Amino acid sequence: TATIYENLSLLKNLNQKQLTVLIDPDKFEESIAEKFFDDLPNSITHIFVGGSTVEANKTERTVAAIKLFSDLPIIIFPGDYTQITEKADAILFLSLLSGRNPEYLIEQQVKSVTWLKNSNLEIIPTGYILIDGGNESAVQRISKTQPMQQDNVEAIVNTALAGQFSGKQLIYLEAGSGAIKHVSLEIIREVKKALSIPLIIGGGIKTAEQLENVYKAGADMVVIGTAFEKGDFHY
Ligand code: 1GP
């Protein structure tokens, strides 16, 4: 059977858009899980699980709880290496390419190997690029790195391409969870034009109209956390 990544690339080539719900284990209530999944749109294709700071073992419990209500692929989107759990299907093996902090460029990755080397998790090398969303994001605070400015389109395109050239299989443009403004349509268009690997967009997307526009600009996958969590995604 095809891997999650193989499916993703295939669907990208068919221009079939993917929609991911991001679940932060620290905010996830097992008692309301059933209603949470009932309320999600049918168009959801993937589940990401992760947060900037998650208490030990909470990720594993959350993945187990999600599996009771959903058969969708579950992908770890880790804030750090302690969030790795074998119960998920895959992991985004992230490098924070927008930042210049070795801890999030290579050190966390080295620390994670003890857990990953004997694991069955599908590992997906991902270039993660933080872009200013109009407020200070958790990624910025925890990683102690600066986001890229939205008017610096060329630098963002070059960073995404540097990721592709160094072998990343995905590029994820992140405005930060709860961003005031999502990644601009211009940035998405320009990065999409340059890349041949799938493009993920997340942070601050709250309405069906924004979602549609972000897809049209070239996102292959969109990640929505806060709006689904609060139950106030606007259709
Ligand atoms: C954050 O891109 C995701 O990593 C989702 O952001 O919570 O703003 O939807 P939101």
Side-chain angles (χ1 to χ4, degrees):
T1 56
T3 63
I4 290 172
Y5 183 73
E6 284 164 352
N7 278 325
L8 210 64
S9 327
L10 192 83
L11 294 168
K12 166 202 173 281
N13 293 334
L14 297 170
N15 202 28
Q16 277 193 36
K17 305 301 186 181
Q18 308 295 300
L19 180 57
T20 294
V21 55
L22 171 63
I23 294 177
D24 183 339
D26 264 353
K27 295 178 192 154
F28 186 71
E29 303 257 7
E30 287 167 41
S31 57
I32 58 149
E34 186 164 14
K35 182 173 169 19
F36 177 80
F37 283 102
D38 277 351
D39 290 349
L40 286 178
N42 293 328
S43 47
I44 303 272
T45 55
H46 296 77
I47 298 170
F48 283 1
V49 178
S52 325
T53 51
V54 177
E55 121 199 9
N57 302 320
K58 183 89 212 275
T59 304
E60 184 148 309
R61 292 209 309 275
T62 301
V63 172
I66 292 169
K67 282 189 163 174
L68 299 175
F69 302 104
S70 172
D71 294 325
L72 294 173
I74 301 176
I75 303 172
I76 302 295
F77 171 51
D80 61 60
Y81 74 96
T82 67
Q83 294 174 30
I84 295 171
T85 164
E86 196 62 31
K87 284 195 161 50
D89 300 303
I91 179 169
L92 295 187
F93 200 68
L94 301 168
S95 284
L96 183 60
L97 301 181
S98 49
R100 296 295 178 269
N101 182 351
E103 183 67 28
Y104 293 93
L105 281 165
I106 188 60
E107 191 58 33
Q108 283 286 323
Q109 291 78 353
V110 173
K111 287 172 182 159
S112 72
V113 169
T114 312
W115 279 266
L116 291 176
K117 66 182 168 193
N118 295 316
S119 125
N120 290 318
L121 282 173
E122 180 183 335
I123 299 172
I124 308 177
T126 302
Y128 190 50
I129 299 175
L130 182 64
I131 292 171
D132 178 44
N135 49 6
E136 194 199 42
S137 64
V139 181
Q140 178 178 357
R141 185 164 36 81
I142 305 280
S143 71
K144 300 187 179 68
T145 66
Q146 291 308 308
M148 300 187 78
Q149 294 308 306
Q150 296 232 9
D151 57 9
N152 210 347
V153 181
E154 192 185 354
I156 294 170
V157 170
N158 289 351
T159 303
L161 266 182
Q164 178 175 304
F165 294 162
S166 52
K168 307 304 181 208
Q169 294 188 323
L170 293 173
I171 294 295
Y172 187 150
L173 302 183
E174 168 73 272
S177 190
I180 294 167
K181 45 181 186 174
H182 63 68
V183 176
S184 78
L185 301 179
E186 185 196 355
I187 293 169
I188 298 170
R189 273 193 292 267
E190 293 305 315
V191 171
K192 176 67 181 181
K193 234 189 278 170
L195 286 184
S196 59
I197 53 177
L199 176 61
I200 305 181
I201 304 293
I205 296 163
K206 308 180 217 29
T207 71
E209 189 186 0
Q210 289 173 330
L211 176 62
E212 205 45 48
N213 289 337
V214 165
Y215 280 149
K216 276 192 200 133
D220 299 298
M221 175 186 276
V222 171
V223 182
I224 299 179
T226 309
F228 288 146
E229 196 179 281
K230 291 187 176 159
D232 72 350
F233 183 77
H234 295 284
Y235 292 94

